[in-house]
């Protein structure tokens, strides 16, 4: 009997008012391990009312006191890293090491948000006119919500939630319906914090719950991470409803290899980037653009590095590449590889039909490398979100940059070289929000914004860092004259 995941609203575990459920599947075994409610307008109504009701007291709690909860939140997560990471691996598929790495990223964002008393400090100008002072104060918006994707069940809500709470907002987390168990366990553990009821809520569900968030008058700010088509819908609908929105979308990240790049480290790093998390990472290397002689130096080495990656169940310590999230995703990846071959790509390594002993039903896709990818074809332009690397070939760095910039996405772009001026030109000219120089996954630390450009991001302020503080506060300018002082002077 599979348990139905509950919502956490107003400090209590409650059943969803929706009678329908989605199955939650372990992608390594294809077995259903839980059921999650589809969610409904009434669930969001309850969560939004609970968060709105808790807001007045929470915003009047000094920031120095609010962050005491965050210090303990960090300790709780760290004390339960292994347990949370195992749940993540079993519903999401990634390896145990990858799940634990997510925990580190989540905790770093809590640590950053613990600096909120200083981060909320603002500008002050004395005597803007005689006896008149002017200053800015930052105040919370009210109720915030985040809607997250399946591929980072632990980390992504922490790009937003700790900052929102630290700034004095109350909050609703809506995990992906494909991986709801990890955040449910985190919320169970966070009960130990004894946060005032309603400050932090969690609602499960899919489309209906999300659309109710976008429409709810008591929700002021929305952080979304997921595919570009949904990100656009979130941004357009929620901004039309007067909400503040940051919506991170999909990606197709190019990596440029110059002929002078260090061969061994370059292929090791690119293979980790392309095949880690089974390629289900918005910063994954998806295309390698080889410049000139790089083709002869790197192609075979890359294929060897890809072959060395072992597919397997994420809790098996020898596995490097876990399964993809579900059968639909596996089929989609197979189809895209097939289309790429029809378009003329050469198969250097074919990961279709990877079978793992003891996990024969799992949704595994082995590392796949396609070369001579057709410009403008599916492998070049479509976000595959699987362990598939396409190789393209150009003669010059200028051509490589032009090719990178033709993409509709702009999440990240990386270059491998020993030449400083090539690296500088690349970082200056490339139209992407996160740039790696001899780095395979250009993931910003918590104290930098998680930038994204073009169709990888809709909004103005990004997640993490000071951006998150600005996103979850509004500025109030005060111009102040005290009469006694004014009369004394004149
Ligand atoms: P998704 O867009 O299918 O789902 C994301 C969230 O949106 C989920 O919570 C889901 O319930 C909700 N949702 C899905 N369809 C909806 C609809 N029609 N209406 C309203 N809500 C809907 O994304 P996913 O498959 O879970 O995640 C993978 C995608 O996320 C990839 O495209 C990946 O690049 C992207 N991603 C981007 C970043 C980034 O930082 N830019 C980070 C991680 C993942």
């Amino acid at each position: 009997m599979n348990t139905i995941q509950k919502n956490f609203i107003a400090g209590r575990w409650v059943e969803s008012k929706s009678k329908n459920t989605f199955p939650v599947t372990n992608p390594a075994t294809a077995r259903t391990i839980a059921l999650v409610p589809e969610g409904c307008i009434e669930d969001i109504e309850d969560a939004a009312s609970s968060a709105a009701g808790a807001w007045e007291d929470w915003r009047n709690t000094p920031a120095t006191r609010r962050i005491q909860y965050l210090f303990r939140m960090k300790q709780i997560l760290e004390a339960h890293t292994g347990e949370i990471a195992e749940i993540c691996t079993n519903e999401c598929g990634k390896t145990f090491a990858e799940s634990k790495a997510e925990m580190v990223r989540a905790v770093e964002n809590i640590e950053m948000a613990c600096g909120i008393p200083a981060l909320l400090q603002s500008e002050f100008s004395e005597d803007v006119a005689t006896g008149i002072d002017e200053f800015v104060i930052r105040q919370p918006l009210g109720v915030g919500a985040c809607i997250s994707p399946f591929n980072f069940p632990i980390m992504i809500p922490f790009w937003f939630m700790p900052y929102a709470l630290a700034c004095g907002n109350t909050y609703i987390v809506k995990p992906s319906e494909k991986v709801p168990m990890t955040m449910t366990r985190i919320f169970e553990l966070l009960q130990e914090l004894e946060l005032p009821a309603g400050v932090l809520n969690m609602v499960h569900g899919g489309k209906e719950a999300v659309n109710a968030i976008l429409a709810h008058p008591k929700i002021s700010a929305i952080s979304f991470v997921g595919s570009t088509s949904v990100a656009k819908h979130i941004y357009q609908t929620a901004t039309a409803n007067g909400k503040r929105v940051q919506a991170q979308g999909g990606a197709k990240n190019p990596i440029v290899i110059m002929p002078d790049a260090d061969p061994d480290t370059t292929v090791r790093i690119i293979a980790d980037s392309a095949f880690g998390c089974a390629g289900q990472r918005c910063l994954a290397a998806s295309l390698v653009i080889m410049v000139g002689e790089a083709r002869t130096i790197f192609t075979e080495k890359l294929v060897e590095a890809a072959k060395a990656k072992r597919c397997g169940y994420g809790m098996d310590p020898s596995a490097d590449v876990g399964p993809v999230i579900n059968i639909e995703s596996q089929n989609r990846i197979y189809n895209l590889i097939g289309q790429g071959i029809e378009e003329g790509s050469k198969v250097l390594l074919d990961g279709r039909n990877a079978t793992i002993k003891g996990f024969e039903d799992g949704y595994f896709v082995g590392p796949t490398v396609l070369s001579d990818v057709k410009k403008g074809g599916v492998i070049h332009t479509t976000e595959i979100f699987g362990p598939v690397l396409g190789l393209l070939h150009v003669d010059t760095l200028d051509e490589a940059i032009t090719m990178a910039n033709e993409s509709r996405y702009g999440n990240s772009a990386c270059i491998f070289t020993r030449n400083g001026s090539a690296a500088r030109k690349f970082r200056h000219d490339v139209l992407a929000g996160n740039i790696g120089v001899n780095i395979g996954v250009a993931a910003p630390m918590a104290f930098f914004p998680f930038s994204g450009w073009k169709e990888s991001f809709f909004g103005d302020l990004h997640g993490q860092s000071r951006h998150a503080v600005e996103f979850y506060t509004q500025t109030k300018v005060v111009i102040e004259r005290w009469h006694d002082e004014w009369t004394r002077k004149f």
Side-chain angles (χ1 to χ4, degrees), residues 147-152 155-156 159 174-178 205-208 210-211 214 224-231 233-234 248-251 280-283 325 383 385 411 450-451 456-457:
I147 300 159
S148 46
F150 77 81
N151 64 328
F152 282 91
M155 174 183 74
I156 286 180
W159 283 349
K174 203 300 282 176
S176 163
E177 65 277 26
K178 293 173 192 155
K207 217 165 141 175
E208 187 176 335
V210 171
N211 288 333
L214 307 185
F224 170 87
V225 182
S227 54
T228 287
S229 57
V230 183
H233 161 64
I234 302 284
Q248 301 183 203
Q280 299 174 121
R281 187 156 51 180
C282 68
L283 295 174
I325 189 70
E383 179 180 41
F385 226 53
N411 218 32
F450 192 105
S451 280
S456 295
F457 181 70

Side-chain angles (χ1 to χ4, degrees), residues 269-346:
I269 294 170
I270 294 179
D272 286 346
S273 172
F275 309 120
C277 294
Q280 299 174 121
R281 187 156 51 180
C282 68
L283 295 174
S286 174
L287 290 174
V288 165
I289 306 175
M290 297 186 168
V291 177
E293 271 306 291
R295 179 176 191 151
T296 3
I297 306 167
F298 290 93
T299 304
E300 211 177 300
K301 278 182 177 289
L302 262 177
V303 175
E304 288 312 309
K307 271 188 196 154
K309 297 278 175 202
R310 201 181 156 275
C311 261
Y313 170 45
M315 291 308 293
D316 171 352
S318 67
D320 303 305
V321 181
V324 298
I325 189 70
N326 54 28
I327 186 88
E328 291 80 16
S329 180
Q330 189 188 42
N331 287 335
R332 191 175 159 275
I333 295 165
Y334 285 177
N335 285 338
L336 285 166
I337 296 172
Q339 282 181 53
I341 295 167
E342 276 168 31
E343 285 177 356
S345 300
K346 289 190 191 138

